[in-house]
Each structure stands twice: as C-alpha cells, then as structure tokens.
Amino acid sequence: MGVRVAVAYHTGYGKTGSLAQAVARGAASVDDVAVDLLDVSRLDEAGWSALDAADAIIFGSPTYFGSLSAEMKRFFESTVGRWAEGLPWKDKLAAGFTNSKTMSGDKLNTLFDLAAFAAQHGMIW
C-alpha cells in the first residue's frame, strides 16, 4: 500500500509553481509514494478527492505583503465545509513552503498562516 502526497499550491508569477513542481518531484522520488500536484486556483472535484485521499498535504503560497496570496486564503476559506463535517483531514501530515521577491518579505508569517490552517483541520505539522 503506497503513500499519497498532495502538493496544494497557488502561484501568481510562476515561482511558487516551480517550487511546487520541485517538491512534487522530490516526494515522488521516494519509493512507494504517489504525488498529486494541485493548483488551488483551479481545483475541481478530482482535486478535492485527491486532497481527501492524501496521507500528507504540502501547502505552497507566495508571500505578498507579508501574508498568503488572496487565492490561497480563498482556498483555505473554501474548506470550511470539510472542517464542519468533522475534520476529514485530521491526523494527516502537513507541511508548507513559500517564497517572495524581497529579502524581507515576511515569509515566516506566511509559514505561520499555513501551520495555523493545518492545525485548524487537526493536521500534524
């Protein structure tokens, strides 16, 4: 039985998408790991099913003005139904990554936002 990893990301200018692809390649290089690469701005029912079936979800968002992108925040807020149904993502592993154009882009705040979201869903960061 293999391990399923979902990489759920938003990219505004392509750099976070490139990082998401690198994360997916790294995870897929491990024996018995299957990876779903999911752009949250184009998430369809198959994408939601992949998230629900994943053993681990890795979230990626660019840092804009010290926080998540609006599209990633929109995705987070769209999960309220799953949260209300009883935490179907509870005990899944979670991780995250970000990037920004500037050296002082407050990327740590974005990572805190990703970790807080995972905690809200009962995930293990």
Side-chain angles (χ1 to χ4, degrees), residues 19-78:
L19 286 173
Q21 291 172 3
V23 168
R25 281 192 307 273
S29 72
V30 177
D31 289 341
D32 212 24
V33 173
V35 179
D36 292 295
L37 187 60
L38 306 166
D39 181 341
V40 299
S41 68
R42 294 187 282 242
L43 207 55
D44 58 12
E45 192 54 42
W48 284 107
S49 294
L51 289 168
D52 292 342
D55 299 297
I57 304 175
I58 304 170
F59 301 101
S61 174
T63 295
Y64 295 149
F65 295 99
S67 190
L68 300 166
S69 68
E71 194 63 41
M72 186 57 112
K73 181 72 170 155
R74 190 173 297 115
F75 161 69
F76 282 0
E77 291 175 359
S78 74

Side-chain angles (χ1 to χ4, degrees), residues 12 41 63 86 90 108 110:
S41 68
T63 295
K90 184 177 185 329
L108 183 58
T110 300

Side-chain angles (χ1 to χ4, degrees), residues 95-119:
F97 61 93
T98 188
N99 69 295
S100 67
K101 185 175 181 177
T102 63
M103 293 291 287
S104 58
D106 293 326
K107 293 172 279 299
L108 183 58
N109 191 58
T110 300
L111 293 174
F112 282 144
D113 288 344
L114 296 172
F117 171 76

Side-chain angles (χ1 to χ4, degrees), residues 78-91:
S78 74
T79 67
V80 70
R82 279 174 165 69
W83 177 85
E85 292 170 0
L87 301 177
W89 296 351
K90 184 177 185 329
D91 296 330

